Amino acid sequence: MRRRTFLAASAATLALPSISRAQSSRVLKFIPQSDVTVLDPIWTTAYVSRNHGFMIFDTLYGIDNQYKAQPQMVEGHTVEDDGKTWKLTLRDGLKWHDGEPVLARDCAASIRRWARRDTFGQAFLAAADEIGAADDRSIVLRMKYTFPVPDALSKITANVCAMMPERIANTDPFTQIKDTTGSGPYKFKADERIPGARVVWERNAAYVPRASGTPGGTAGPKITHFDRVEWNILQDATTAAAALQQGEIDWLLSPNADLIDSLRAHKDLVVRVISPTGSISCMRFNQLQPPFDNPAIRRAFFPAIVQADYMIAMNGEDHSRWRDGVGYFCPDLPMASKAGLEALTGPRSPDAAKRALADAGYKGERVVLLGPGDVPYAKILADVTADLYKRLGLNLDYQVMDWGTLVQRRAKMDPLDQGGWSVFQTNSPGPDQANPAVNMFLRGNGRDAAPGWAVSPRIEDLRNQWLRATDLAVQQRIADQIQLQAFQDVPYIPLGQMITPTAYRANLTGMLEGAPVFWNIRRV
């Protein structure tokens, strides 16, 4: 029996998971892509930690459905000194979960901590002369030159700029926080967390949403309709689908592609795309360790990369669910570029890749490939790469682990014999690769970059030019140059774009587009 046929048939007959039905219409049960093993959305780039962060931490600005920054915790701002001095005024009455007032100095400390770790934040920090507070409600930002402040502070990509009390925000950004006190619409229930099984939040009754604006993305009023949100961690795709079909859970974030048609046929379910930009898949190299410290070896893979192989393995043959011919910026967004794309779209030849590896000096060094066994899409990426590396003759050590362990492991800069790694695959939401400011894997600043620690002085120089450009046409020309340089320096290899629908019970309404958020949504 074909794999897809078997999985689709199994969804209806598999024993149901041990998730009790909600005793109240005020409880929302959700299955995320993986467990939340890191509670600090600044420390990690893992999206499950970002999604958790949006529950408990609020942001100064949000992003609407047109990807424009809108005031969120701030009432408004003024700009002086030819765009170099920003004064942000907090909304009145904001409180932390412990009842203490949110103060400007808390937010200033939060910005400083975020800026040390985030791709956009590092550029923000380099441009800033002062990040401080004039009084309890006034944040003052003095910049060396004009800078897109709201765009930086509103980013929805990894390392979201979460506001924390000063005592927490003063934690070294390279150390995970232990206190999850925020000011957001939900409170984290640490006492109910069961690692590998369940994560729980309860509604913050003291939260005051914005009085104006239209809900969209992370912008507008954040109105909660559930007293509790429970994330149930189910690693088996068919078990998760069966739980949704039988009403054991309300929302399955990422149903397996093999099961989407059967879920769509169910009369009590809705299957739809809430993120039109989808996700971009990436092969990320560790440039601190051989053999991938050699750019010629990284470039050698291009002739053998077939993006469609990765996309079909994850999404099936339905071309409406994926796209190949994808470069270093998200398709259909303003910076999308065709510059240098022939490296991925020209004639494919594994033999040419083998010759290029030999010419580049590959001598059979061990390659440690990390694969997450509990995240189906990312595991498929790793499986396809493992097969490719074997066919190319690499000395492969394929290590499979849970995603939480992988996130911890990929932060290690150690040599391979001390627990280091060579390559991993991941999927990033399209907005994360919208432009040079937010694309964390497109940095070339070495040990200050995201895991993989790519080095490219030219990309860094072009990125700085892009950040200072104010004309769209100029920015697009610079983006073309960055993409051409990326095909030379290869901080990572794009593997295609998938447009994955989510699935939920038909009695839910108000689900917003973009990142999975738990405000506005309600049961009818």
Side-chain angles (χ1 to χ4, degrees):
M1 181 180 288
R2 294 183 63 195
R3 173 175 174 268
R4 274 192 250 289
T5 305
F6 171 77
L7 288 174
S10 299
T13 60
L14 198 66
L16 292 177
S18 57
I19 303 173
S20 61
R21 290 183 181 272
Q23 298 301 309
S24 167
S25 62
R26 305 282 293 179
V27 178
L28 179 70
K29 292 179 178 284
F30 172 77
I31 297 180
Q33 67 268 51
S34 67
D35 193 11
V36 186
T37 58
V38 177
L39 301 177
D40 185 349
I42 303 298
W43 185 87
T44 183
T45 59
Y47 285 90
V48 69
S49 297
R50 178 206 63 177
N51 298 341
H52 149 79
F54 278 137
M55 300 279 282
I56 59 176
F57 299 112
D58 214 342
T59 55
L60 295 174
Y61 294 85
I63 288 184
D64 64 19
N65 287 340
Q66 284 71 50
Y67 303 101
K68 294 181 179 179
Q70 303 291 347
Q72 186 56 41
M73 291 175 71
V74 299
E75 184 178 277
H77 63 250
T78 60
V79 185
E80 304 169 358
D81 190 24
D82 295 325
K84 291 186 287 187
T85 299
W86 290 72
K87 295 182 179 179
L88 283 52
T89 303
L90 292 172
R91 287 194 283 130
D92 191 26
L94 297 176
K95 293 184 182 298
W96 300 114
H97 292 159
D98 59 11
E100 292 296 313
V102 174
L103 303 177
R105 66 172 181 266
D106 297 315
C107 299
S110 297
I111 293 171
R112 289 192 293 268
R113 182 172 191 264
W114 158 78
R116 294 266 312 276
R117 291 302 301 263
D118 179 67
T119 296
F120 209 161
Q122 290 167 355
F124 182 99
L125 199 60
D129 273 333
E130 178 187 351
I131 303 172
D135 54 51
D136 285 351
R137 291 182 57 201
S138 302
I139 305 164
V140 178
L141 307 172
R142 302 188 193 280
M143 315 301 286
K144 298 181 178 71
Y145 42 81
T146 56
F147 193 87
V149 168
D151 292 340
L153 300 182
S154 65
K155 67 187 293 288
I156 60 172
T157 55
N159 303 124
V160 61
C161 187
M163 294 298 105
M164 306 173 178
E166 185 178 27
R167 70 177 189 279
I168 303 174
N170 284 337
T171 303
D172 185 289
F174 293 89
T175 300
Q176 295 184 46
I177 62 171
K178 298 180 180 179
D179 186 338
T180 57
T181 300
S183 66
Y186 285 93
K187 298 180 181 180
F188 176 59
K189 293 283 290 176
D191 59 328
E192 295 193 48
R193 184 182 180 209
I194 304 174
R198 188 179 68 181
V199 193
V200 179
W201 297 262
E202 65 179 6
R203 190 172 71 89
N204 175 15
Y207 183 76
V208 179
R210 288 193 65 81
S212 62
T214 301
T218 57
K222 297 180 179 179
I223 300 174
T224 54
H225 298 281
F226 290 96
D227 295 328
R228 284 170 60 91
V229 175
E230 299 178 4
W231 290 12
N232 296 279
I233 314 304
L234 292 180
Q235 296 183 6
D236 184 83
T238 51
T239 304
L244 179 65
Q245 288 175 317
Q246 296 300 320
E248 300 291 334
I249 58 134
D250 299 299
W251 182 6
L252 172 57
L253 178 62
S254 301
N256 190 289
D258 295 304
L259 305 173
I260 287 174
D261 289 341
S262 64
L263 293 176
R264 186 172 277 128
H266 197 289
K267 66 182 180 63
D268 294 325
L269 300 182
V270 174
V271 179
R272 72 180 181 94
V273 172
I274 64 171
S275 180
T277 53
S279 296
I280 312 293
S281 302
C282 305
M283 180 189 295
R284 178 67 165 178
F285 301 104
N286 183 347
Q287 296 193 22
L288 295 183
Q289 311 297 339
F292 296 139
D293 57 343
N294 180 348
I297 288 179
R298 301 194 298 271
R299 285 194 298 271
F301 288 103
F302 280 126
I305 296 294
V306 180
Q307 290 186 340
D309 288 349
Y310 286 92
M311 294 297 101
I312 291 172
M314 288 193 295
N315 305 287
E317 307 232 355
D318 184 350
H319 213 313
S320 68
R321 296 178 185 170
W322 55 269
R323 177 184 292 181
D324 55 0
V326 175
Y328 286 90
F329 300 108
C330 181
D332 298 330
L333 295 185
M335 296 304 123
S337 173
K338 296 187 180 299
L341 263 182
E342 58 272 12
L344 289 168
T345 59
R348 305 290 85 194
S349 173
D351 288 339
K354 287 181 181 179
R355 290 192 297 271
L357 281 167
D359 292 344
Y362 177 65
K363 304 296 184 184
E365 296 93 338
R366 183 164 67 109
V367 171
V368 175
L369 167 64
L370 305 183
D374 59 340
V375 183
Y377 286 114
K379 174 61 163 54
I380 290 170
L381 286 174
D383 288 345
V384 175
T385 291
D387 176 71
L388 174 65
Y389 283 10
K390 290 175 183 176
R391 288 189 285 116
L392 293 180
L394 271 68
N395 177 13
L396 180 65
D397 180 0
Y398 183 22
Q399 301 182 15
V400 178
M401 61 204 69
D402 64 87
W403 177 249
T405 300
L406 191 153
V407 168
Q408 303 278 352
R409 178 81 172 274
R410 72 182 185 182
K412 293 174 66 68
M413 296 184 178
D414 305 283
L416 302 190
D417 59 2
Q418 297 177 31
W421 57 277
S422 306
V423 63
F424 72 90
Q425 270 83 193
T426 190
N427 297 298
S428 301
D432 285 22
Q433 297 185 34
N435 59 56
V438 299
N439 191 336
M440 64 180 178
F441 283 166
L442 203 49
R443 294 300 305 273
N445 54 335
R447 289 177 179 264
D448 289 328
W453 307 288
V455 176
S456 175
R458 178 59 177 160
I459 286 178
E460 286 296 292
D461 178 60
L462 289 167
R463 180 175 182 270
N464 289 334
Q465 293 180 37
W466 188 94
L467 284 165
R468 297 193 187 202
T470 57
D471 181 78
L472 176 61
V474 173
Q475 289 182 323
Q476 289 173 327
R477 285 197 295 272
I478 296 172
D480 285 345
Q481 295 176 60
I482 290 175
Q483 178 154 295
L484 286 170
Q485 192 64 41
F487 279 118
Q488 290 299 309
D489 296 338
V490 199
Y492 67 91
I493 294 179
L495 300 176
Q497 179 188 35
M498 62 177 184
I499 312 296
T500 307
T502 196
Y504 55 91
R505 302 293 297 181
N507 63 356
L508 295 182
T509 188
M511 188 176 294
L512 299 178
E513 289 195 352
V517 296
F518 296 85
W519 53 84
N520 203 60
I521 188 172
R522 59 191 177 89
R523 199 187 309 278
V524 295

